[in-house]
Amino acid sequence: MTAKSGGIVDIDGPWSHRWVAANGARFHVADAGDGPLVLFLHGFPEFWWAWRHQLPVLSELGFRAVAMDLRGYGGSDKTPRGYDPVTLAGDVAGLVRSLGHSDAVLVGHGWGGYVAWATAALHPRQVSRLAVASAPHPLRLRTAAFRGGRQLRAAGHVVSFQSPIIPERRLVADDAALVETLLRRWAAPGSVFPDAETARRYRKAMQLWPAPHCALEYYRWLVRAAFRTDGRRFVARMRQPVRQRVLQLHGMLDPSVLPATAEGSAEYVAGPYRWRLLDGVGHFPHEEAPDAFTKELVAWLDDV
């Protein structure tokens, strides 16, 4: 199922909108520029529009900048299944090929970063470089959660999302007010993010049913997989360090994914690795401090 929905997804701007088939589904993308492909992957509870600040800058610098709606979000297909990282990594690798490229720089935030890590490990030929924000390596996140302590307490929402039906209803209640609450709670204290327009767009996009159920299935797989064979297989495959160049950006004030959790990801990188901690920023560095985020990204892309 795809959705244009009167501008909720196909927002006007210096980009074009396309629906592209890959890995057995159709994905909505915003596409700007020509050149080497930079593919942006959003996190929860956002959609492709999270990258509106970066798309024009990268396209003007000679890249083809594309932001996709992940499976289950925005205008992309909302399938009954497929919210495990192996399938999601296949979505990204397939989309790179469907866009006519052999590989891409992946830039992912939150869940998009988790999927970007998985794609780099499982489909290395399709990933030339990897930039992640607010996204520890999957095994680093798993270790931090199993050890308990501060990271487990910070991720209390993951536990609350495990119940059936009720979390979906909470996400869309009162015009999806919880979406705005989470955006504000995870941003840095005193942040102007999200402004009224941003909050409205994310609230409306989450109401494109069954997007709430699809978005929560990502979190449910994370917990279920800890006790299942498919989860153990994924862990085994992710133990091989990624060999691409990696840029890891993180907000110093991120209350959801702690900086100390993310920084330990270097253990799983065999290629050149750059860590940047952004001062005064919470869980959404690409939106809370878009200029600083984009400056770091562009400098890293220029470093050959």
Side-chain angles (χ1 to χ4, degrees):
M1 181 177 70
T2 58
K4 295 186 181 180
S5 303
I8 294 177
V9 169
D10 50 333
I11 302 166
D12 290 338
W15 43 68
S16 59
H17 294 275
R18 302 176 60 192
W19 278 259
V20 183
N23 201 28
R26 285 210 305 167
F27 297 91
H28 168 250
V29 303
D31 191 338
D34 292 296
L37 178 61
V38 180
L39 182 59
F40 292 89
L41 314 177
H42 66 85
F44 174 88
E46 302 181 310
F47 64 108
W48 77 265
W49 195 66
W51 302 108
R52 65 197 177 279
H53 302 292
Q54 287 76 36
L55 291 178
V57 176
L58 270 292
S59 65
E60 289 172 5
L61 291 175
F63 294 96
R64 183 183 183 187
V66 176
M68 70 179 290
D69 284 330
L70 296 180
R71 181 184 291 255
Y73 282 88
S76 291
D77 278 358
K78 298 166 180 62
T79 56
R81 291 170 294 278
Y83 302 101
D84 60 280
V86 175
T87 301
L88 297 167
D91 292 347
V92 174
L95 184 63
V96 170
R97 293 189 292 266
S98 293
L99 289 170
H101 293 259
S102 59
D103 59 26
V105 177
L106 298 187
V107 183
H109 164 258
W111 265 111
Y114 192 103
V115 174
W117 281 113
T119 308
L122 305 181
H123 302 275
R125 292 184 179 180
Q126 274 66 62
V127 182
S128 58
R129 292 191 181 199
L130 174 65
V132 293
S134 312
H137 186 277
L139 300 193
R140 174 62 185 169
L141 182 62
R142 183 175 184 269
T143 299
F146 279 168
R147 287 177 179 172
R150 293 179 61 226
Q151 182 56 66
L152 186 61
R153 291 192 296 272
H157 59 282
V158 177
V159 177
S160 71
F161 290 161
Q162 299 306 308
S163 303
I165 302 174
I166 294 175
E168 282 89 337
R169 291 177 176 173
R170 289 184 61 214
L171 266 180
V172 297
D174 300 321
D175 193 27
L178 180 59
V179 169
E180 183 172 350
T181 297
L182 293 174
L183 292 170
R184 296 190 184 283
R185 182 181 300 165
W186 294 341
S191 174
V192 297
F193 172 82
D195 60 26
E197 181 192 5
T198 300
R200 178 182 64 83
R201 289 196 183 277
Y202 288 136
R203 290 170 69 165
K204 291 298 183 186
M206 188 58 72
Q207 294 177 73
L208 295 173
W209 191 263
H213 174 71
C214 301
L216 295 176
E217 283 294 284
Y218 286 66
Y219 289 98
R220 289 166 178 158
W221 182 89
L222 197 65
V223 173
R224 294 171 188 156
F227 310 101
R228 297 193 318 205
T229 302
D230 61 328
R232 291 193 292 271
R233 283 199 298 263
F234 176 68
V235 168
R237 296 177 73 180
M238 291 301 296
R239 287 200 178 105
Q240 182 69 30
V242 300
R243 301 193 177 279
Q244 297 91 338
R245 288 179 174 268
V246 174
L247 169 66
Q248 188 160 18
L249 297 164
H250 209 90
M252 186 178 294
L253 302 179
D254 188 341
S256 176
V257 181
L258 303 180
T261 298
E263 189 171 11
S265 301
E267 174 184 354
Y268 302 99
V269 180
Y273 175 79
R274 183 180 298 181
W275 164 261
R276 291 290 184 268
L277 194 60
L278 301 180
D279 190 19
V281 177
H283 186 63
F284 304 96
H286 56 308
E287 298 212 69
E288 295 177 62
D291 292 343
F293 178 94
T294 306
K295 181 179 179 181
E296 292 285 355
L297 178 61
V298 169
W300 174 72
L301 290 170
D302 283 344
D303 182 5
V304 297

